Amino acid sequence: MTNEQLKEKVIAIVPNAEVKENKQYLIVTVPQNKLYTLAKTFKESEDTAFDYLFCLSGMDWGDSLGVVYHLESTKYHHCIVLKTKTTNRENPVLDTVCDLWKTAEFLEREVFDLFGINFKNHPDMRRIFLEENWQGYPLRKDYVDEINIVER
Amino acid sequence: MTVKLQIKNLEEQEYTINMGPQHPSTHGVLRLVVSLKGEIVKNVQPHCGYIHRGIEKMCEKLTYQQIIHLTDRLDYLSALISNEAVCIAVEEALEVEVPERVKYIRTIMDELTRIASHQLWWCSFGMDLGGLTCFFYGLRDREKILDIFEESIGGRLILSYYTPGGLMNDIHPNFKQRVKDFIKYFRKILPEYDQLLTGNVIMQERTKGIGLISKEDAISFGFTGPSGRGSGFSCDLRKQHPYGMYSKVDFKEVLYTEGDTFARYKVRIAEMWESMKIIEQLIDNIPEGPYSVKMKPIIKLPEGEYYQRVEGCRGEFGVYIESRGEKFPYRLKLRSPNFSNLSALNTLSKDQKIADLVAIGGSLDYIIPDIDR
């Protein structure tokens, strides 16, 4: 599928999605309550078949926290980037996609560990790199650690 | 009498043991919490983070030239390939066209890295299964590649040879001859690897039909690299999304469909042959010219986001950069192949014997610093 066709498909499912295009990928930003529906449709429908989640990154955009999903179809070799965000920094909650792509289970635990984003319906929401009693979420921009981070 | 009673209990109920963080077969500091019933593995929970250094956080305060040096510290056995991911991402963002000579040298170096990495995998895999001779054979041959690296680059393990725009320095005048000598030598030696380990009955018994994963699961887990190609998942980025000189050389993507430990073993052996084929096609044709383009001392990427995927020795390595037009990246995410491969370990080792867990782990060839980052 070309980027144009993908764009039409996105608009058909989520009418208020923000769609951008850069040199590499089509980038789609959707509201947090629509992401799971869009991801599920994209994975399961015959003509898109995005079966390979090759990157899942947590993001801190200052006013909002979010997640970026890089998807590829191993059948058609087309790619798409999905983004979603939440403005709630105190208790951010997003939907999990680990029932669609199994790799998301570990990747979402990593995002939870470093950004503090909770994933609803995730089977095992624990920290993965840091200790259980670690205070704060290191990859957030407002994280302060006076002992270990030396400002230059 | 009491001893007998205890053994009976162990067979009936599940119990948990720790494997690692200090265990020779985990090749680093990885802790596996294994639930067992008798000697059958019921559940494996990897515990990571023993050498988490926060590289992604550090990158937010470093320039792009400095980030190169940190990418070496991820997967230290495919250091040059991780360097290349960042370099290409920066070059694409700035629309810099690197000279042909650079592309040739990078591709040759990448493939030498791949051979060296697979040699080390082969020797440690043999050792995991109890064949100590493999360890000496593999290290003996890897040494020859490290000597080539040392002559041209100056380092042996942590190389940092690529920079955005080209290479740190030109290759040594002896480079071509030494690579050719090595290929000639290794073509003769590689069949010995097969004679020593591939055909070995004990080795085959311990790997065939062990640690199965289907193609669907492999795709779903993001199980890439030689491990994924052992399950028939065609994920070779050198073919799918070519970079460097890969679109111009003739080689084939090695695919096996069995999805067991032995298939993953065969893929890696076959990849060493393919890598030699690629190097032979390029080594005589390295064009003359500059080894680097002049770049500004402080690189500022234009605002936007950039993603670069390369084929590391263990799977897909990716760099995701979000830039806000400053000299530091706003956010840099490293997609590490080993982390995704590790997430499939529980599926792979379900209902296998605990001794086979070592063989399965060996066939995934994980590098812990790349998992923890």
Side-chain angles (χ1 to χ4, degrees):
Chain A
M1 255 191 180
T2 60
N3 279 357
E4 281 306 307
Q5 287 166 312
L6 281 175
K7 205 165 156 180
E8 279 168 28
K9 238 180 133 62
V10 172
I11 299 293
I13 303 164
V14 187
N16 58 348
E18 262 178 67
V19 185
K20 279 197 302 195
E21 207 172 330
N22 69 2
K23 262 192 299 181
Q24 283 176 305
Y25 304 120
L26 188 75
I27 302 163
V28 180
T29 313
V30 290
Q32 60 183 98
N33 53 352
K34 292 284 165 43
L35 181 100
Y36 185 80
T37 332
L38 183 67
K40 196 174 164 74
T41 326
F42 267 7
K43 198 213 161 194
E44 282 166 7
S45 75
E46 239 348 89
D47 51 348
T48 46
F50 284 108
D51 50 358
Y52 175 30
L53 174 71
F54 63 86
C55 190
L56 188 154
S57 345
M59 296 299 270
D60 180 0
W61 285 297
D63 53 345
S64 57
L65 294 166
V67 178
V68 181
Y69 305 83
H70 285 76
L71 299 172
E72 190 188 356
S73 160
T74 53
K75 197 170 165 195
Y76 307 109
H77 295 292
H78 52 216
C79 299
I80 197 166
V81 181
L82 304 184
K83 284 184 183 181
T84 187
K85 55 183 157 191
T86 166
T87 46
N88 183 352
R89 287 182 74 91
E90 291 301 310
N91 186 22
V93 182
L94 296 174
D95 285 325
T96 180
V97 292
C98 67
D99 52 334
L100 303 174
W101 299 283
K102 289 177 184 165
T103 177
E105 189 179 330
F106 267 42
L107 295 169
E108 283 176 352
R109 271 179 72 188
E110 187 196 333
V111 173
F112 170 70
D113 192 354
L114 304 175
F115 286 92
I117 299 174
N118 250 300
F119 289 90
K120 211 163 53 193
N121 302 332
H122 189 287
D124 187 19
M125 199 83 263
R126 282 181 297 130
R127 283 186 181 267
I128 192 161
F129 293 140
L130 306 176
E131 301 143 37
E132 288 294 323
N133 56 358
W134 190 278
Q135 293 294 314
Y137 303 104
L139 275 179
R140 285 196 188 182
K141 291 282 170 186
D142 53 6
Y143 177 75
V144 214
D145 183 346
E146 279 160 3
I147 298 159
N148 298 313
I149 298 181
V150 183
E151 286 294 332
R152 281 177 296 160
Chain B
M1 189 62 201
T2 45
V3 175
K4 242 183 193 170
L5 205 71
Q6 273 170 3
I7 290 171
K8 197 165 169 247
N9 275 346
L10 287 180
E11 278 166 358
E12 276 166 6
Q13 55 181 278
E14 275 189 34
Y15 61 102
T16 310
I17 59 161
N18 266 311
M19 197 165 145
Q22 301 296 334
H23 189 278
S25 85
T26 57
H27 302 267
V29 279
L30 175 73
R31 177 172 150 221
L32 301 172
V33 178
V34 191
S35 294
L36 292 163
K37 200 168 185 186
E39 57 169 344
I40 306 293
V41 176
K42 287 294 169 195
N43 189 21
V44 182
Q45 272 309 323
H47 285 233
C48 328
Y50 283 89
I51 61 167
H52 175 67
R53 295 148 291 175
I55 284 187
E56 287 172 15
K57 185 79 178 172
M58 283 158 84
C59 288
E60 290 173 10
K61 284 277 186 287
L62 293 175
T63 64
Y64 294 98
Q65 286 98 329
Q66 290 170 324
I67 288 171
I68 305 289
H69 301 273
L70 284 183
T71 52
D72 279 343
R73 272 91 178 156
L74 295 166
D75 184 348
Y76 48 79
L77 292 180
S78 57
L80 287 173
I81 302 175
S82 326
N83 290 172
E84 194 174 14
V86 179
C87 289
I88 297 179
V90 173
E91 283 152 12
E92 296 267 306
L94 295 170
E95 294 175 349
V96 173
E97 181 65 34
V98 294
E100 280 287 287
R101 184 181 175 79
V102 175
K103 286 188 190 168
Y104 270 79
I105 295 172
R106 278 185 185 175
T107 310
I108 293 169
M109 289 289 189
D110 282 358
E111 291 311 311
L112 284 175
T113 312
R114 200 177 311 278
I115 296 176
S117 162
H118 286 351
Q119 281 169 340
L120 188 71
W121 157 79
W122 180 79
C123 66
S124 58
F125 184 66
M127 199 178 63
D128 283 347
L129 294 178
L132 199 63
T133 320
C134 304
F135 195 69
F136 300 116
Y137 274 42
L139 285 188
R140 176 195 66 193
D141 300 334
R142 179 168 172 263
E143 196 66 20
K144 295 194 186 315
I145 296 183
L146 295 189
D147 285 343
I148 295 174
F149 282 161
E150 194 178 5
E151 199 175 49
S152 281
I153 302 172
R156 290 162 64 86
L157 190 71
I158 306 295
L159 300 160
S160 303
Y161 184 47
Y162 307 156
T163 53
L167 310 169
M168 287 278 183
N169 49 276
D170 210 349
I171 46 172
H172 193 272
N174 290 347
F175 178 74
K176 278 187 198 175
Q177 193 50 48
R178 288 193 73 161
V179 172
K180 274 192 260 185
D181 288 348
F182 169 75
I183 299 287
K184 207 171 139 200
Y185 163 80
F186 196 52
R187 273 194 181 277
K188 214 166 70 228
I189 288 289
L190 194 45
E192 257 181 40
Y193 284 25
D194 286 336
Q195 287 164 14
L196 189 66
L197 193 61
T198 316
N200 186 311
V201 182
I202 300 170
M203 187 273 187
Q204 293 207 358
E205 291 272 312
R206 287 199 58 188
T207 52
K208 276 187 178 166
I210 303 292
L212 286 165
I213 185 165
S214 67
K215 188 182 169 189
E216 286 68 37
D217 269 356
I219 295 172
S220 185
F221 274 116
F223 195 62
T224 50
S227 316
R229 291 195 280 280
S231 301
F233 173 21
S234 157
C235 57
D236 196 334
L237 294 167
R238 296 172 295 171
K239 280 276 184 214
Q240 319 282 4
H241 301 276
Y243 54 94
M245 291 305 295
Y246 289 116
S247 54
K248 302 201 177 68
V249 289
D250 170 48
F251 69 103
K252 68 172 200 293
E253 181 179 6
V254 186
L255 277 181
Y256 283 90
T257 46
E258 293 93 330
D260 58 358
T261 307
F262 193 56
R264 294 191 280 278
Y265 173 91
K266 283 191 290 185
V267 171
R268 287 195 172 88
I269 294 284
E271 272 194 4
M272 287 200 257
W273 287 107
E274 293 300 315
S275 294
M276 284 197 280
K277 218 164 92 187
I278 296 173
I279 296 172
E280 276 176 334
Q281 289 169 50
L282 296 173
I283 191 72
D284 280 323
N285 308 322
I286 302 177
E288 292 300 320
Y291 62 84
S292 176
V293 220
K294 188 118 179 70
M295 301 282 275
K296 284 182 190 149
I298 289 176
I299 295 172
K300 288 182 179 171
L301 290 199
E303 206 173 319
E305 49 191 78
Y306 310 95
Y307 194 92
Q308 181 60 43
R309 314 162 73 179
V310 292
E311 179 69 23
C313 302
R314 281 154 203 81
E316 174 174 343
F317 181 79
V319 179
Y320 175 54
I321 300 174
E322 183 171 322
S323 172
R324 297 209 164 164
E326 288 158 16
K327 60 179 177 176
F328 307 134
Y330 182 73
R331 163 96 168 102
L332 190 135
K333 156 90 186 171
L334 301 155
R335 191 263 187 219
S336 83
N338 292 295
F339 188 58
S340 300
N341 289 3
L342 182 74
S343 65
L345 187 65
N346 191 14
T347 310
L348 284 165
S349 48
K350 202 154 226 148
D351 295 328
Q352 306 286 344
K353 297 233 166 65
I354 180 134
D356 292 332
L357 183 61
V358 175
I360 293 166
S363 77
L364 296 186
D365 189 18
Y366 38 61
I367 300 289
I368 314 304
D370 191 36
I371 294 170
D372 287 351
R373 277 163 289 159

